[in-house]
Amino acid sequence: MSFFMSGFFWFLEGALFCIFILAVRAWAEDRSIPMPYWKWISLIVWVFFVGFTLAFIGTSFGEGEPAAAIRGGILFGVIAIISGVGLWRLLKIGNIPGEEEFATATEE
Amino acid sequence: MKKSLRQRPKSNLLLYLFVITALVLSAWYGRTRSGPDIWPHLQKIFPEAASFSVSDGVFVVQDERGGLLGWAANGSANGYAGPLQLLVGIDSTGTVSGTSVIEHRETPVFWRMVRFPVFFSEIAGSSFEEINYRYEEVVGVTGATRSSDAIVASVRKAVARVAGEQFDVTIPLPLPPWEFGFFEIAIMVLLAGAVASLYLRRPVQKAWRWASQAFALIVVGFWENSPITLTKLTGFLAGYFPEIRANLAIYLLVVGFVLTVLLFGRSLYCSHLCPFGAIQRFINLIGGKRIRLPVWSLNLMPRMRDLIVFCAVVTALAIAQPGLAHYEPFAALFALKGGMLQWFLLLIVLLLSLVLDRPWCHYMCPMRTGERVLQDIRGTITGPKGEQHA
């Protein structure tokens, strides 16, 4: 059985996903960025879309369709990157300017 | 202030003379080079053919003993990028023996979409009367409508010729109906709106441009996939004008582009109707950044673009294949069709759009080259006064 078909792969993927969510939470708290439910939903949808893009590329190559992998990868990859940039800007909504610098100065 | 051709140095005038001469020579060469050999196509349709003679534009095909095998005639119609020529064979009983594509100038990626083998095998064995009813097999192939229409018209013309000359049967050749619907009206409204917005206050102008581009992205881009392409413009330069009744939208867009540059000094098609320009603007809005490129690159890139356009057009004219001038990634985005070059260009352009203002429009689009040429013509006609106004 290949690595990608094994249960260990899915265990790793789940672990990485949990770490990612915890990291986002910590990042938002450090910067005093409010994280309402719509930000979490957008973020999770985006993560799944990125996962879908990678799966599309991988399975297309696996099925012996490199042209589909390249075209689909370009199309979905571009959508993922552009929506990622948009999401990044959306996530920062509500950030209080100067809050981060203040927190760092107090710690020192 | 931009200088008109009159005010520009002589080197510019010489450059234009060189470009015009090269275009005329390549178009002349493309037009006059010898046509394809008809014999292999006749043998494809009539495998036992040994010789043929021509009578009133119809090929009379004979076997080894001089017996009549049938007749063949070629039919031609304008497709997306120029004339398409087919040979249709009819046997002595008046049924279709087969068909063969003599030459076409369609964009390869769209030509592959047309299911002509299916259509051709369907019409083989049909009588004159039946053939008129078998067109649905090929008509309206999504994304390759113009090529499909040209195939149908070519077959009809070829069959009509043989039927008229050899069987005294008249097959009607009706003109295609005028295509005037929502899309054509939308183009006219968008163009009129773009012109009207020039006389409005700046915030209203801006709001109209955003609305117009959003609409154009959906309608001209994803719905109709009909932006102006280098293939279309090269086809016009080569003298291949598609049937206006079935291609009114193309004429509206091209005439709108040319007229707005000549009248207002800038292309309102590019700023209000181009779906690819629209998507770059929207992506830049998402990216929220506009990096300023170094001056040397701003000078170099448009020249590189002009050179690429010049080489593409001259080559396409010389080999009489406007479809080969195509390098834009429009179809990759709007119809998910294109070669690797188009897909990689699409990737690069869309990602650059996050941090640059419409990189394709400024540095790669052949329409920009066309706009500059038209601006120079306008400058030459109106003189410095007109340019100051623009």
Side-chain angles (χ1 to χ4, degrees), chain B residues 76-345:
Chain B
S76 171
N78 276 334
Y80 178 80
L84 181 146
Q85 220 185 116
L86 290 174
L87 190 73
V88 180
I90 312 271
D91 69 15
S92 50
T93 61
T95 52
V96 177
S97 305
T99 42
S100 181
V101 180
I102 300 172
E103 62 177 350
H104 72 88
R105 292 171 172 80
E106 306 301 90
T107 312
V109 68
F110 286 101
W111 182 245
R112 284 197 290 271
M113 289 166 68
V114 182
R115 297 166 301 150
F116 54 87
V118 177
F119 171 65
F120 290 165
S121 64
E122 277 285 319
I123 65 166
S126 306
S127 65
F128 295 140
E129 290 76 24
E130 284 170 339
I131 204 155
N132 277 327
Y133 303 105
R134 296 249 171 126
Y135 290 131
E136 293 79 22
E137 289 297 320
V138 74
V139 173
V141 172
T142 313
T145 323
R146 317 246 183 271
S147 310
S148 315
D149 288 348
I151 289 175
V152 170
S154 307
V155 170
R156 206 191 275 257
K157 280 181 188 172
V159 169
R161 184 178 282 181
V162 177
E165 292 292 335
Q166 305 297 331
F167 294 88
D168 234 6
V169 175
T170 309
I171 291 186
L173 292 172
L175 285 168
W178 278 100
E179 266 189 31
F180 189 76
F182 173 74
F183 184 49
E184 287 74 17
I185 295 170
I187 292 172
M188 294 203 302
V189 170
L190 289 180
L191 276 172
V195 172
S197 74
L198 291 178
Y199 301 97
L200 298 173
R201 284 183 301 118
R202 202 150 179 83
V204 185
Q205 235 181 60
K206 223 174 158 182
W208 173 258
R209 195 193 63 205
W210 278 109
S212 177
Q213 287 204 307
F215 189 70
L217 178 62
I218 297 164
V219 177
V220 185
F222 289 107
W223 186 24
E224 286 284 339
N225 181 28
S226 283
I228 304 176
T229 59
L230 191 55
T231 301
K232 278 176 197 160
L233 294 181
T234 311
F236 279 118
L237 282 178
Y240 306 138
F241 296 100
E243 170 61 55
I244 190 167
R245 299 163 74 99
N247 297 281
L248 186 62
I250 295 174
Y251 283 94
L252 285 173
L253 288 171
V254 173
V255 170
F257 167 72
V258 174
L259 276 185
T260 53
V261 182
L262 290 178
L263 292 174
F264 305 105
R266 66 193 178 100
S267 158
L268 295 182
Y269 163 81
C270 295
S271 58
H272 289 74
L273 271 91
C274 176
F276 202 66
I279 200 152
Q280 290 172 83
R281 247 191 233 279
F282 287 116
I283 291 174
N284 190 254
L285 191 70
I286 294 170
K289 276 198 193 307
R290 282 193 181 180
I291 292 175
R292 280 181 176 274
L293 292 176
V295 177
W296 66 265
S297 65
L298 295 176
N299 288 329
L300 180 70
M301 282 193 287
R303 281 161 204 225
M304 293 288 290
R305 174 200 60 207
D306 293 349
L307 186 67
I308 291 169
V309 172
F310 172 73
C311 293
V313 173
V314 165
T315 312
L317 288 177
I319 56 174
Q321 292 282 357
L324 293 184
H326 155 89
Y327 71 90
E328 303 103 320
F330 305 154
L333 179 66
F334 300 123
L336 303 181
K337 299 283 172 202
M340 277 302 153
L341 170 71
Q342 282 82 19
W343 280 100
F344 278 107
L345 271 176

Side-chain angles (χ1 to χ4, degrees), chain A residues 62-103:
Chain A
E63 295 280 346
E65 295 284 354
I70 293 169
R71 285 169 196 185
I74 288 173
L75 191 70
F76 296 130
V78 165
I79 295 172
I81 292 170
I82 291 167
S83 57
V85 172
L87 185 65
W88 175 255
R89 294 185 69 204
L90 274 181
L91 284 181
K92 291 199 288 186
I93 289 177
N95 185 16
I96 303 161
E99 190 82 4
E100 192 187 338
E101 289 80 1
F102 175 75

